[in-house]
Amino acid sequence: MSIKFFDMLSQNLIELLNDNDDYNVIIEVENKEKSFTAHSNVLKFRSPYFRRELENIQTSGNKIKIIIESNISAQIFSVILQYIYGGIVDLENCKTRFIYDLMLAADEFEFKELTNELETLLIETKGPWLRTHFSIIYHSIFSRKNFKKLENFFNDIIVKYPSLIFDADYFTSIEESALLSLLKRDDLQIEEVKIWDYVIEWGISKASILPTNLDEWTTEDFLTLKTTLQQCLPHIRYFHLSGIEVLDKIEPYKKILDKQLWKDINQHMVAPERPVKSIILPPRSVLVTELPPRVERESFSTIISEEHAAKISTWIDRKTNTYTLTNVPYKFELILRGTQDGFAPQTFWNICHGHARTVVLVKVKGTDEIVGGYNLLAWDNSNIKEKWIKTKDSFIFSLKNGNIRNSILSRVKQPQYAILNISQNFQNQYGPYFGDFWMFSDKSDFTLDDRCFSRSNGCFYEKPIRSSSENFSIINYEIFKVVKGTI
């Protein structure tokens, strides 16, 4: 039997840290602006990183070793020292960004226990923040290669919304490990032939300068690309491509494939029942696009009904008579749901970037109102400055619901001010923006303040969609992509 007194031990070690006597290490941080004192034996036994650092540093005349950590803040390092000496990390009232930066510092100093705890904490309690800062964090975690849980967290998002990475301006700069982690996924929601195109694009960007015209490529050029993509090529599902896709997309680059693989691909196109020597990977489990049976239809949205969807479809097609539930020509494919993906404005721009033909649906807090808008064109999160996009086909609306007796349709009357793509500097405040109706939050959460707004007089659109001119908060919102097909 053993009796443990960890609390007192932790307290005594913290007292040792705060005692200015007997230290033999000085750690300078923030470009040498601030410094901390410590004890080499404690640092060495708590961190392999500091053990290596101390072994490589000569003592000064007073036998003090100086470690320089210019890029870490004094606030972060103070918490690190509290952890080293006392095993205590106080995160009360800490902002999420501080927790994230602390996790990166813990990883750098090789505190696996602390790193894992902070990684788990972020995933379990700070999901909306992680999604909002998607692009920055995604690059960071794959460059360090020690955050498997965060890698899985983001890849689970990307497989459903692949445009977040594959259509991003920085796609060709992502780490090979990041690309590989996606190529290995059976549930990546992209057509296989498009995956091939993206892999080729990425490989060409990584290889040395190659001729723009493929006809001018030499054998060495193809070998260069093959070498660059040697880890990626085995994860393409070649045997699930159509014959036309093989002829149009694969054959021009056949020299980067192993001869046996190319032979087997050709054989499979002619005689698919015959066995091949190459490994045949299973097809990716692309989500079924058909809507579920009748008994499950009600769940396609938490805000509107099928009748509402039929009404919106009628407005899209400018029909006089409302579609019935049996002849609606469109499906509403969910892109974003606030209760699922979070209410941060930046989340909208991250997830909806590149999506066209979208319907925005908003449930107003404290009323029966359902308001929204339709955007024929694509949302774009890449603008340095705000940019109006012109269309005659957008409209805003209010739907009949509860005490709301009639639906309101308001078509754009000044097409040049139909849709505003917000500049990157303000995407943490503004969500979807139609000329006379927009979503806004000072607190980066549409449910935490009442800053969403709809004009009480038609300015850029024909008529107001709300009787009240007051700003409002929301309960939930959803973004759907409208595609051909029946509900």
Side-chain angles (χ1 to χ4, degrees):
M1 177 180 178
S2 60
I3 303 176
K4 300 177 181 180
F5 301 95
F6 291 138
D7 288 345
M8 183 58 68
L9 174 62
S10 173
Q11 180 181 332
N12 291 153
L13 286 171
I14 291 293
E15 291 171 356
L16 174 64
L17 172 64
N18 295 328
D19 189 349
N20 289 326
D21 294 332
D22 299 325
Y23 68 86
N24 61 348
V25 179
I26 294 176
I27 303 103
E28 297 180 346
V29 301
E30 291 187 7
N31 293 317
K32 300 183 180 181
E33 300 258 338
K34 301 200 176 170
S35 63
F36 296 85
T37 59
H39 306 81
S40 59
N41 284 335
V42 177
L43 295 179
K44 285 193 297 184
F45 284 100
R46 290 285 282 154
S47 167
Y49 173 88
F50 281 118
R51 177 179 290 275
R52 290 193 301 272
E53 288 292 305
L54 290 166
E55 289 175 350
N56 294 327
I57 295 174
Q58 298 296 323
T59 58
S60 59
N62 57 3
K63 298 184 179 180
I64 300 293
K65 291 190 174 184
I66 299 176
I67 298 176
I68 299 174
E69 299 291 343
S70 298
N71 296 325
I72 192 170
S73 73
Q75 188 180 9
I76 290 285
F77 197 73
S78 176
V79 175
I80 289 290
L81 281 179
Q82 294 286 320
Y83 169 75
I84 291 174
Y85 278 77
I88 297 173
V89 176
D90 183 6
L91 298 177
E92 189 173 356
N93 299 323
C94 287
K95 293 184 178 180
T96 306
R97 181 56 192 249
F98 180 86
I99 298 173
Y100 174 72
D101 289 340
L102 179 61
M103 180 191 71
L104 297 184
D107 176 62
E108 181 178 344
F109 296 133
E110 301 179 36
F111 297 124
K112 293 182 180 180
E113 176 188 48
L114 178 57
T115 302
N116 290 336
E117 286 294 324
L118 295 174
E119 184 182 19
T120 300
L121 176 66
L122 286 169
I123 291 171
E124 292 182 350
T125 66
K126 308 295 182 182
W129 185 89
L130 292 173
R131 295 184 186 96
T132 300
H133 298 81
F134 175 91
S135 58
I136 297 173
I137 300 173
Y138 191 78
H139 278 286
S140 179
I141 61 175
F142 275 98
S143 64
R144 291 172 177 260
K145 303 178 182 179
N146 292 325
F147 302 107
K148 297 303 179 185
K149 286 181 282 189
L150 276 171
E151 289 179 13
N152 291 333
F153 174 86
F154 283 111
N155 280 346
D156 284 344
I157 297 173
I158 294 170
V159 295
K160 295 178 183 177
Y161 310 106
S163 62
L164 286 173
I165 286 296
F166 290 94
D167 292 339
D169 294 337
Y170 55 80
F171 165 67
T172 54
S173 67
I174 67 172
E175 298 286 336
E176 182 183 45
S177 59
L179 180 58
L180 281 172
S181 69
L182 292 171
L183 295 179
K184 293 176 182 179
R185 294 283 295 248
D186 290 337
D187 53 350
L188 181 58
Q189 302 296 297
I190 316 181
E191 296 175 37
E192 199 65 35
V193 68
K194 291 183 179 179
I195 294 176
W196 168 263
D197 287 339
Y198 284 123
V199 168
I200 293 297
E201 177 189 355
W202 183 88
I204 289 175
S205 74
K206 297 296 181 184
S208 55
I209 298 176
L210 298 171
T212 304
N213 188 346
L214 192 62
D215 294 333
E216 299 175 2
W217 281 32
T218 64
T219 300
E220 289 74 18
D221 291 331
F222 283 104
L223 180 60
T224 297
L225 183 60
K226 180 178 181 179
T227 302
T228 302
L229 294 177
Q230 59 183 330
Q231 299 297 321
C232 298
L233 294 175
H235 301 290
I236 302 295
R237 318 298 166 96
Y238 302 98
F239 297 96
H240 302 288
L241 296 169
S242 69
I244 292 177
E245 289 170 341
V246 170
L247 291 175
D248 290 348
K249 298 292 186 176
I250 309 297
E251 186 175 33
Y253 293 95
K254 64 182 180 181
K255 291 182 180 179
I256 71 173
L257 302 180
D258 291 336
K259 291 182 179 180
Q260 184 62 51
L261 175 58
W262 177 240
K263 179 180 177 180
D264 288 341
I265 293 172
N266 279 285
Q267 176 186 307
H268 185 75
M269 285 195 297
V270 177
E273 71 283 352
R274 289 191 178 182
V276 296
K277 295 181 179 180
S278 301
I279 296 174
I280 298 181
L281 297 174
R284 300 188 197 273
S285 55
V286 177
L287 293 177
V288 178
T289 56
E290 291 79 8
L291 286 168
R294 176 71 185 179
V295 293
E296 298 180 7
R297 283 183 178 176
E298 286 75 15
S299 64
F300 87 98
S301 170
T302 62
I303 297 178
I304 64 170
S305 65
E306 292 178 16
E307 288 78 8
H308 286 136
K311 173 69 76 173
I312 295 170
S313 299
T314 303
W315 292 336
I316 291 173
D317 286 349
R318 298 178 182 268
K319 296 289 186 181
T320 304
N321 298 320
T322 302
Y323 285 123
T324 66
L325 297 185
T326 59
N327 70 351
V328 178
Y330 300 116
K331 293 183 293 186
F332 283 45
E333 294 184 349
L334 183 67
I335 300 174
L336 182 155
R337 176 172 290 147
T339 54
Q340 171 182 300
D341 300 302
F343 293 94
Q346 187 68 58
T347 299
F348 166 78
W349 294 105
N350 289 345
I351 292 180
C352 296
H353 171 72
H355 285 288
R357 300 180 66 88
T358 54
V359 173
V360 177
L361 297 165
V362 176
K363 184 71 176 72
V364 178
K365 183 178 180 180
T367 75
D368 292 323
E369 292 174 279
I370 299 173
V371 296
Y374 171 71
N375 179 14
L376 175 70
L377 304 178
W379 298 103
D380 186 357
N381 67 6
S382 64
N383 296 303
I384 303 300
K385 297 182 179 180
E386 63 182 30
K387 182 179 180 181
W388 287 100
I389 55 176
K390 181 179 180 180
T391 174
K392 297 179 180 179
D393 295 305
S394 68
F395 55 84
I396 56 178
F397 56 83
S398 173
L399 292 171
K400 178 181 178 181
N401 183 58
N403 293 326
I404 309 301
R405 302 183 66 179
N406 296 301
S407 296
I408 299 173
L409 167 65
S410 180
R411 295 193 181 277
V412 65
K413 66 179 181 181
Q414 294 195 41
Q416 67 272 29
Y417 300 111
I419 305 293
L420 181 63
N421 280 321
I422 302 298
S423 66
Q424 293 177 346
N425 288 338
F426 293 98
Q427 288 172 10
N428 63 336
Q429 294 177 302
Y430 284 93
Y433 195 119
F434 298 82
D436 286 348
F437 159 63
W438 57 85
M439 297 177 68
F440 179 88
S441 173
D442 273 327
K443 300 179 180 179
S444 290
D445 188 319
F446 295 127
T447 65
L448 295 183
D449 49 15
D450 55 352
R451 299 298 304 277
C452 295
F453 183 74
S454 176
R455 295 186 197 274
S456 59
N457 61 326
C459 183
F460 302 132
Y461 285 74
E462 293 173 340
K463 66 184 78 169
I465 58 174
R466 300 188 73 227
S467 58
S468 172
S469 61
E470 295 181 355
N471 293 3
F472 59 93
S473 184
I474 73 170
I475 297 172
N476 193 15
Y477 84 116
E478 296 174 334
I479 313 293
F480 286 94
K481 189 177 184 70
V482 180
V483 298
K484 284 289 185 180
T486 56
I487 292 180

